[in-house]
Amino acid sequence: MAGATRSPLVEGDTTVTDAVAGATVGLSAMLFALAIAALFERVNLTGTVAGLSTVTLLGGLLIGLGVAVSVFGLGSWFGYVETDPDASAGLIAGLGAAVPWFVVGGGVASQTLGFGTVGGVVGGLFVGGLTFAATAVPREDVGSTVPLGALLVLVGAVFLTGTIGPAWIWNLGWEQQASITAEFLVPTATLFCSLYGGWAAAKAYGRFGARGRHMGAYVLIYVNALSIVAFLFILIAFVVVQGISGLLNGAQVGAGVGPQVFGVVELPVYVPFVMNGVALLNDFQGVLPAIVGTIWLVVGAVLFAVPLGVGAAVFLTEYAERGRFTQIVEVSTNGLWSTPSIVFGLFGFAFLIPRFGNRKSLLAGMLTLGFMLLPLVLITSREAMIAVPDEYRDASAALGVPKWQTIRSVVLPAALPGVVTGVILGVGRIAGETAPILLTMAGGTFVPGGQTVDVIGGFEFTAAPPFVANPELLQATSALPYQLYALITAGVGLGSNVTDPDGFRWATALVLLVVVLSFYAIGIGARYYFRQRLRHE
Amino acid sequence: MAQATRSERLNAAAGQQVQRVRDFVDDTEPAALVVVTIIALSLLAAFVGFLAVSNLTALPFALFVAATGYGWVRHQEETALVLTLTMTVSTLLILGLIIVFIFRESVPVLWYESVTVLGVRVPGLRMFIQPNWDAVAPPIRYSMVPMIHGTVMVTLVATAVAGPLGVAAALFLSEIAPAIVREFVKPGVEILAGIPSIVYGFIGFTILSPWASDQFRTTGQGSYLFVGIVVGLMALPTVVSVAEDALSSVPESMKSGSLAVGTTDWQTMTSITLPAAFSGVSAAVLLGVGRAIGETMAATVMLRGVPRLTEPLVNVFYGQETLTSLIARNYGEADGLQMDALFVAGVILFITVLVISIGAQYIEWRMRSKLGGEA
Amino acid sequence: MSDSPQTQPQSQTRTKTTGSDQPLETTSGETVEETRDEWTEYNFDGEAKMVAEDLDVYYGDDHALKSVSMEIPEQSVTALIGPSGCGKSTYLRCLNRMNDRINAANVDGSVQLDGNEIYQDGINLVELRKRVGMVFQSPNPFPKSIRDNIAYGPRKHGDINTGLLARLLGRDDSEAERELVERALKQAALWDEVHDRMDDNALGLSGGQQQRLCIARCLSVDPEVILMDEPASALDPIATAKIEDLIHDLAEEYTVVIVTHNMQQAARISDQTAVFLTGGKLVEYDDTDRIFENPQSQRVEDYISGKFG
């Protein structure tokens, strides 16, 4: 057919050019890592790496990468490297290359040459447009390497010659003072350059053409995925490292060291941070009231939201005919789900507080979080019930079993795994919420152990309606997320009881993280377990 | 013509409902009917009592519990139906209550901030046309402009972070990752969603803010840029999971069809999968935007808490206040009009996010009916 | 898979065209394998386009295809028939490595295209699938216009440039694209029905038209082999008849391999037929006439006469 290209079906073994292209990708990976390290000041810009000053090293590597990439493209153009390029690198590559050149052109025109903002925009557009043309017009091998290679060489040369050295600074001249410093610009520029270089090198590795693009895109997507996973790990590890010493401060292991539980059993471990409150005479201070408060909050929210949500899901899936009504409920539950948590807080403040003795209370916090949990429970329960095959219902109905009995004995058990998993994950989310309880429950910065809430023991009977009262429920108590917030905003002078306020904060953060993530771990584990069981049945 | 058919349709629908209720009444034994009526009425009475802040609320509630217990034992079918129906109605009711209460609380300050335009008094207009928030010194002004500016800045930065990274990660999870990698990365993304916002805020406050202030030589700490980045990372899991659902819902046969003419996986993704899932992916980004707008704690602890516009407006290196952080920071000392002004911020947030949510649902619904129509 | 065959008449020992006389056991560790039905060497005129040797496919623990060896002659229609779950589609998908899409699939053995092993490192999958095209069971047009559907492959391969950039640079291949699309649609006998609505969405076509569109899409990249996986199973009899005529015409230029569960269809359109029976085994492979009139194996005869399957 017209002009259909034919390439060899089988390609040769790994060649020298492949090895070179692969090494170039590796070089950009190294630059990427160096840039991240420099950004977070793990590598000092003014210091040295491997005997070279950091900026010089970065500049040299950038030039090396730029030259390698360009040589590859030109080598392919002149036929020294066997490739399979398309006619053009394409619009998106053109725009992608034009953006950094626009920044460079704009910066040079407005700052170095002093043409001002308008001049900067014009200069940037000119240089960017030129780059766009240089990328999009020539054949793909040249277009996707040379403009980017030139960028890398330029940036490298700027670093190497000391035009932008470690002491470089550019005052933006804004009313609210701000400057771009070398310690920000150098790593950031290196980071973006390494991504561009890596992309171009990966394209070269894939010998351009469709496979080259595939390679280039995959490199970026893998870097992105890896970064997200790495970010998660670093985040958690960081909190653990910072908080572990505060958490284990004064911890003991051994028979009989722990507090009594249920009045009989003595725990063999004693971790004061999670078993004490704050008191003048305590050797080690802790956050026990906040932990207990969080637990009661979650229990209350679950007791409120789960029956309501599951019941509504049953009605919507089993009884209601699909139509306007179910659609409205669906839209409003999804709307509720995305409503900002602080709005729930405002609602609780306006609706619940006046009805519970005009003050912040545990009960108001429970219900507010329950309102938040409700849409999540409803949505996940509905999904789980819809996933139950209709054959089950038909089979049961065909035996003459009434509807509710069918639901109770067929639909609900089959949907249970989905509901349970959804509820646990939802609980994880609300357990870490601060904003709603800020307005409805609050509590103190440091809470004495004596104020640990005791809901069960708090019930009492009264003579007047409503005859049952529970002052514990109507009292403000603390919860972990709120306590962390209070600790942050309380500033440095945290009071004399706590000797190491920073350690105390980090340990609180760690406990909060552990509590919340254990809900997630249980939820994800439960889902995994149910799925495995389903597979083996 | 259209009017007539519309009202006819409504009449028919209403008639159908009446018919269904009548059928239910006819088919049910009188005793059960009495019980479910008591259940419904007592719950209604309890609700009314609760709204009226009555001490007697507990009485109808106790009756409701008793009637439900009796009904459960004697007439389970009918009780279950009525119970689940009331639960559904309660869910709708909560949304209704939220709307009523946060709007009601914001009314006084809207009157206070009204402006007369062409002889018509427009309540609340002054909150949006002048940029001054001053709750202490006269003239006392509650402008929302600085906070709207802050929220827009943070949301823009957050979307720039969460959008591309989230969609790329969704592509990775749905199309690229080997099964074993997916098995680990997917829960990882969920856990990322689970990290409490106050923990993000704490890290941002203790690590990121001082660092940023040092890097950009700003006076004091707190910048929209870094709040935006943190909020973007928090919105990332939402974008990833919704976009991944959309991408996986593109039929495998369509992808195979593309691969079978000899395209690379990447070409298949950009030319077939992404265009087919485009609406779902944009809904994902929209929901991420909604998340970013509503994010409270990280913004509260990282921002300066001084409601004013940055100078110049594009100065992302300074972070003043967002709608959410205004509420979280000021609820304590606020009362009267200032408290009401916080409710105005809440109303703005609520409406914006609700509109975004409905928009995203509409887009998703269209995508589903389109892809469903093909199958 | 566990059902052992009834006592089979042991027919003549088959000698493979490749000459080597290999023992007929499979690679798995099962002790005594079922004895495979054997048939006389199948000799055909002309060249072999594709050759499969000792091809085994596992889906996890499931041994889906057992030691299949068969040669596919050039420019002819080869039908693969057998009861469902017999591995015929699995075999088909091995020929252009579409099984690579299934994570758990594990392919063992050899498949050659024009003497090139396609299961080796360094194989260019893009090129392979350009040469070995595929048409699927249910029509799967892209949600794009009819023209975009046909031009999709050539555009992606860079043979045709009609994008915004190409137009800006004056490298517009619209004319070539028009010719290519017209030719492919004419080959697929769809041109007369759609030539006046090339910009309509392909999903608006009828099922039969959609399937012919998919065939045209496959032809647009100028393949050498066309694999068809029950291409008419989702269509009505009239559309099926059109597809069958089309397949017949295509065999003049292309090598066609078609999976079908419809024996009459195989008898009508194919030059040679391979019969797969339960357990992923190739039981008999011969000229279509011989298979349907005088099968060598009792099981094939039973299957063809409708006694089981």
Side-chain angles (χ1 to χ4, degrees):
Chain A
M1 206 148 288
T5 48
R6 279 283 178 258
S7 327
L9 186 57
V10 182
E11 272 145 16
D13 296 331
T14 313
T15 56
V16 181
T17 43
D18 278 352
V20 174
T24 319
V25 177
L27 179 61
S28 23
M30 198 169 92
L31 265 171
F32 183 80
L34 265 177
I36 297 271
L39 201 56
F40 290 100
E41 296 170 358
R42 299 293 109 187
V43 170
N44 198 336
L45 272 193
T46 50
T48 57
V49 176
L52 284 166
S53 108
T54 311
V55 179
T56 314
L57 178 74
L58 289 178
L61 287 178
L62 278 175
I63 292 180
L65 182 61
V67 169
V69 164
S70 308
V71 164
F72 229 102
L74 291 172
S76 157
W77 172 258
F78 290 113
Y80 295 115
V81 185
E82 191 192 323
T83 55
D84 183 20
D86 283 351
S88 157
L91 279 177
I92 296 175
L95 287 176
V99 169
W101 276 107
F102 171 84
V103 174
V104 169
V108 169
S110 65
Q111 300 305 311
T112 318
L113 304 178
F115 289 153
T117 314
V118 179
V121 172
V122 172
L125 282 178
F126 178 70
V127 178
L130 223 55
T131 316
F132 179 80
T135 309
V137 177
R139 211 171 70 176
E140 190 198 9
D141 45 2
V142 175
S144 57
T145 52
V146 173
L148 292 176
L151 174 77
L152 267 57
V153 170
L154 176 74
V155 173
V158 165
F159 292 169
L160 209 57
T161 55
T163 315
I164 293 182
W168 181 87
I169 187 165
W170 170 33
N171 191 329
L172 291 169
W174 284 342
E175 192 170 320
Q176 281 176 315
Q177 193 87 46
S179 310
I180 307 277
T181 59
E183 42 191 301
F184 172 75
L185 184 68
V186 171
T188 316
T190 313
L191 191 74
F192 280 101
C193 283
S194 71
L195 286 176
Y196 276 114
W199 175 75
K203 274 189 99 166
Y205 182 76
R207 305 182 184 192
F208 305 102
R211 271 191 50 202
R213 285 169 195 221
H214 176 88
M215 288 282 181
Y218 268 38
V219 161
L220 295 185
I221 288 185
Y222 265 93
V223 166
N224 175 52
L226 270 178
S227 309
I228 291 177
V229 173
F231 171 74
L232 173 68
F233 273 101
I234 290 172
L235 198 69
I236 294 176
F238 188 74
V239 176
V240 170
V241 167
Q242 295 277 340
I244 195 80
S245 64
L247 176 63
L248 295 181
N249 195 7
Q252 292 173 22
V253 181
V257 294
Q260 286 193 336
V261 190
F262 309 121
V264 272
V265 191
E266 285 195 335
L267 287 179
V269 283
Y270 177 57
V271 184
F273 190 76
V274 295
M275 296 179 184
N276 276 356
V278 172
L280 198 58
L281 297 175
N282 273 359
D283 290 336
F284 305 104
Q285 313 293 359
V287 290
L288 177 67
I291 296 175
V292 176
T294 300
I295 291 172
W296 277 115
L297 264 182
V298 166
V299 169
V302 167
L303 284 181
F304 172 77
V306 169
L308 213 55
V310 174
V314 166
F315 183 81
L316 288 174
T317 357
E318 306 297 326
Y319 289 114
E321 280 171 36
R322 285 196 62 80
R324 189 57 57 84
F325 180 69
T326 51
Q327 212 173 5
I328 289 175
V329 179
E330 228 163 77
V331 170
S332 20
T333 34
N334 283 329
L336 268 181
W337 181 78
S338 46
T339 298
S341 53
I342 190 82
V343 173
F344 280 102
L346 278 177
F347 171 60
F349 182 83
F351 179 64
L352 296 175
I353 300 278
R355 288 169 178 76
F356 295 135
N358 253 332
R359 56 176 181 170
K360 296 178 181 176
S361 62
L362 179 58
L363 188 58
M366 285 173 172
L367 287 179
T368 311
L369 288 185
F371 294 148
M372 273 194 76
L373 184 59
L374 178 62
L376 209 67
V377 173
L378 208 167
I379 291 169
T380 48
S381 313
R382 250 204 107 186
E383 271 171 15
M385 285 174 205
I386 288 174
V388 175
D390 271 339
E391 289 81 37
Y392 288 19
R393 300 182 180 97
D394 295 346
S396 176
L399 296 172
V401 179
K403 195 152 198 173
W404 168 249
Q405 291 303 328
T406 303
I407 296 168
R408 216 174 81 158
S409 46
V410 176
V411 178
L412 285 182
L416 192 67
V419 177
V420 168
T421 314
V423 168
I424 297 173
L425 292 179
V427 163
R429 186 173 157 216
I430 58 158
E433 276 293 349
T434 317
I437 55 174
L438 205 62
L439 282 89
T440 51
M441 194 174 87
T445 314
F446 293 106
V447 188
Q451 285 184 22
T452 306
V453 65
D454 177 14
V455 174
I456 295 171
F459 279 104
E460 51 194 51
F461 295 96
T462 52
F467 306 115
V468 184
N470 191 336
E472 292 279 351
L473 273 179
L474 296 180
Q475 228 163 37
T477 181
S478 196
L480 282 168
Y482 177 77
Q483 180 145 18
L484 181 57
Y485 172 69
L487 287 169
I488 296 170
T489 46
V492 197
L494 266 179
S496 50
N497 280 340
V498 175
T499 44
D500 175 17
D502 240 12
F504 196 83
R505 285 193 192 121
W506 279 109
T508 313
L510 177 58
V511 172
L512 174 62
L513 199 63
V514 168
V515 168
V516 171
L517 290 193
S518 29
F519 280 115
Y520 273 83
I522 295 170
I524 291 168
R527 189 176 51 201
Y528 189 75
Y529 168 76
F530 287 129
R531 214 191 292 149
Q532 289 299 100
R533 215 179 56 173
L534 204 70
R535 210 173 281 162
H536 286 291
E537 260 170 17
Chain B
M1 175 68 195
Q3 197 63 36
T5 50
R6 189 183 155 79
S7 66
E8 270 171 36
R9 219 168 46 213
L10 282 176
N11 275 338
Q16 228 172 19
Q17 291 302 323
V18 171
Q19 189 57 43
R20 281 178 63 190
V21 172
R22 199 173 287 157
D23 286 348
F24 178 74
V25 171
D26 288 345
D27 295 348
T28 316
E29 12 171 338
L33 218 50
V34 170
V35 172
V36 296
T37 314
I38 292 175
I39 292 175
L41 288 180
S42 59
L43 191 63
L44 188 68
F47 176 68
V48 170
F50 190 68
L51 277 186
V53 201
S54 160
N55 274 340
L56 297 171
T57 306
L59 288 178
F61 190 76
L63 180 62
F64 162 73
V65 172
T68 310
Y70 175 77
W72 193 257
V73 176
R74 299 298 296 272
H75 311 283
Q76 207 174 70
E77 286 290 326
E78 293 78 9
T79 313
L81 174 62
V82 169
L83 264 188
T84 55
L85 174 62
T86 48
M87 284 162 171
T88 313
V89 173
S90 316
T91 309
L92 279 182
L93 209 59
I94 289 173
L95 189 68
L97 286 174
I98 291 181
I99 295 174
V100 169
F101 272 84
I102 63 172
F103 273 83
R104 202 183 68 167
E105 297 285 327
S106 61
V107 167
V109 76
L110 288 177
W111 284 116
Y112 175 75
E113 291 281 357
S114 48
V115 176
T116 310
V117 183
L118 303 172
V120 184
R121 196 150 171 250
V122 183
L125 186 60
R126 199 168 58 201
M127 300 179 102
F128 304 98
I129 55 174
Q130 63 89 26
N132 191 24
W133 168 285
D134 197 334
V136 187
I140 288 182
R141 288 286 174 267
Y142 302 109
S143 170
M144 287 291 135
V145 175
M147 276 64 79
I148 293 175
H149 170 251
T151 298
V152 168
M153 296 288 262
V154 168
T155 309
L156 283 181
V157 176
T159 313
V161 171
L165 300 192
V167 174
L171 268 179
F172 176 77
L173 279 179
S174 133
E175 307 295 312
I176 298 174
I180 184 89
V181 176
R182 183 164 37 222
E183 204 76 4
F184 283 98
V185 176
K186 260 186 95 162
V189 170
E190 269 173 320
I191 288 178
L192 204 55
I195 294 176
S197 63
I198 189 71
V199 172
Y200 278 104
F202 182 44
I203 295 173
F205 174 77
T206 47
I207 312 291
L208 215 49
S209 287
W211 176 82
S213 158
D214 182 47
Q215 293 257 300
F216 296 103
R217 306 280 191 275
T218 57
T219 335
Q221 295 177 7
S223 81
Y224 286 141
L225 180 63
F226 284 88
V227 174
I229 290 175
V230 169
V231 170
L233 290 172
M234 299 171 69
L236 189 66
T238 309
V239 180
V240 175
S241 53
V242 180
E244 203 226 323
D245 284 348
L247 289 170
S248 333
S249 71
V250 176
E252 175 62 30
S253 71
M254 222 181 255
K255 300 172 193 167
S256 306
S258 168
L259 290 170
V261 292
T263 58
T264 59
D265 288 325
W266 176 244
Q267 284 175 324
T268 302
M269 270 177 244
T270 51
S271 314
I272 303 296
T273 315
L274 265 181
F278 182 76
S279 25
V281 172
S282 21
V285 176
L286 260 183
L287 287 175
V289 169
R291 267 267 113 92
I293 291 176
E295 180 41 52
T296 310
M297 295 324 290
T300 309
V301 293
M302 285 176 74
L303 289 176
R304 289 157 197 260
V306 183
R308 56 165 285 197
L309 295 168
T310 54
E311 300 279 348
L313 284 177
V314 293
N315 194 342
V316 288
F317 303 111
Y318 283 75
Q320 305 296 347
E321 195 82 297
T322 62
L323 289 167
T324 50
S325 69
L326 177 82
I327 304 172
R329 203 185 311 278
N330 292 300
Y331 75 96
E333 61 262 28
D335 52 7
L337 280 181
Q338 194 187 348
M339 193 68 217
D340 298 340
L342 301 189
F343 275 92
V344 174
V347 168
I348 298 173
L349 280 171
F350 179 72
I351 292 177
T352 318
V353 174
L354 195 66
V355 166
I356 286 177
S357 158
I358 291 175
Q361 287 178 65
Y362 176 70
I363 291 174
E364 275 184 302
W365 170 78
R366 268 196 33 194
M367 167 175 168
R368 223 176 304 136
S369 56
K370 216 175 93 189
L371 278 182
E374 290 160 17
Chain C
M1 213 176 300
S2 53
D3 59 325
S4 62
Q6 305 92 330
T7 46
Q8 308 278 326
Q10 287 287 322
S11 48
Q12 304 93 315
T13 313
R14 176 203 175 219
T15 47
K16 295 168 94 190
T17 38
T18 44
S20 66
D21 206 356
Q22 288 179 355
L24 292 168
E25 88 277 286
T26 53
T27 47
S28 67
E30 296 161 52
T31 47
V32 186
E33 265 296 324
E34 314 157 31
T35 49
R36 189 166 56 184
D37 301 291
E38 286 147 11
W39 68 95
T40 42
E41 175 186 348
Y42 172 50
N43 278 315
F44 50 84
D45 306 328
E47 298 285 306
K49 185 70 185 171
M50 297 195 82
V51 179
E53 280 182 72
D54 291 323
L55 197 63
D56 286 271
V57 178
Y58 306 85
Y59 292 122
D61 299 332
D62 185 11
H63 198 166
L65 206 61
K66 286 181 187 158
S67 195
V68 170
S69 300
M70 105 183 233
E71 298 185 350
I72 295 162
E74 210 170 28
Q75 290 174 352
S76 63
V77 178
T78 307
L80 312 177
I81 63 172
S84 49
C86 68
K88 55 192 193 300
S89 289
T90 303
Y91 173 71
L92 191 77
R93 293 170 78 89
C94 285
L95 298 180
N96 70 344
R97 293 192 59 168
M98 282 305 277
N99 273 335
D100 291 14
R101 289 285 286 173
I102 302 161
N103 278 321
N106 201 347
V107 179
D108 194 21
S110 152
V111 177
Q112 289 159 19
L113 172 67
D114 292 333
N116 292 312
E117 176 58 48
I118 68 168
Y119 282 96
Q120 65 170 310
D121 294 341
I123 186 80
N124 187 341
L125 273 186
V126 168
E127 190 58 34
L128 170 69
R129 288 176 185 159
K130 267 160 84 173
R131 295 191 195 180
V132 185
M134 189 161 198
V135 176
F136 295 83
Q137 186 165 2
S138 48
N140 58 349
F142 306 134
K144 297 171 184 282
S145 74
I146 294 172
R147 176 182 292 108
D148 287 349
N149 261 280
I150 307 295
Y152 178 76
R155 283 182 193 163
K156 291 297 134 189
H157 298 143
D159 297 336
I160 277 183
N161 291 303
T162 50
L164 178 62
L165 190 65
R167 261 178 275 157
L168 286 176
L169 296 177
R171 294 184 197 147
D172 189 6
D173 296 332
S174 293
E175 190 54 32
E177 179 186 278
R178 211 185 50 72
E179 284 168 17
L180 184 146
V181 170
E182 181 176 337
R183 197 181 137 188
L185 283 173
K186 278 182 173 161
Q187 272 186 304
L190 190 61
W191 174 253
D192 294 339
E193 292 162 56
V194 300
H195 67 92
D196 51 351
R197 45 176 173 149
M198 297 297 288
D199 292 314
D200 288 7
N201 195 316
L203 296 169
L205 298 175
S206 73
Q209 289 174 325
Q210 287 191 3
Q211 192 62 300
R212 276 178 285 148
L213 182 82
C214 293
I215 294 174
R217 183 175 73 194
C218 171
L219 294 174
S220 71
V221 293
D222 200 14
E224 295 162 11
V225 182
I226 300 172
L227 310 177
M228 296 188 171
D229 190 354
E230 306 194 17
S233 66
L235 305 180
D236 61 69
I238 297 171
T240 304
K242 282 191 179 167
I243 300 275
E244 286 181 6
D245 288 347
L246 178 57
I247 292 169
H248 194 76
D249 296 342
L250 289 175
E252 287 173 12
E253 203 175 330
Y254 305 95
T255 307
V256 179
V257 186
I258 176 169
V259 163
T260 176
H261 59 259
N262 180 337
M263 276 175 283
Q264 286 74 30
Q265 187 175 60
R268 278 195 300 268
I269 60 173
S270 68
D271 300 310
Q272 51 274 327
T273 298
V275 185
F276 287 72
L277 292 182
T278 331
K281 286 173 153 190
L282 174 60
V283 182
E284 191 161 336
Y285 179 35
D286 215 326
D287 280 338
T288 300
D289 299 343
R290 194 112 45 94
I291 288 276
F292 283 96
E293 282 157 21
N294 183 23
Q296 309 273 313
S297 139
Q298 184 61 43
R299 283 214 294 164
V300 170
E301 196 174 331
D302 288 348
Y303 174 63
I304 285 171
S305 58
K307 284 197 185 145
F308 78 96

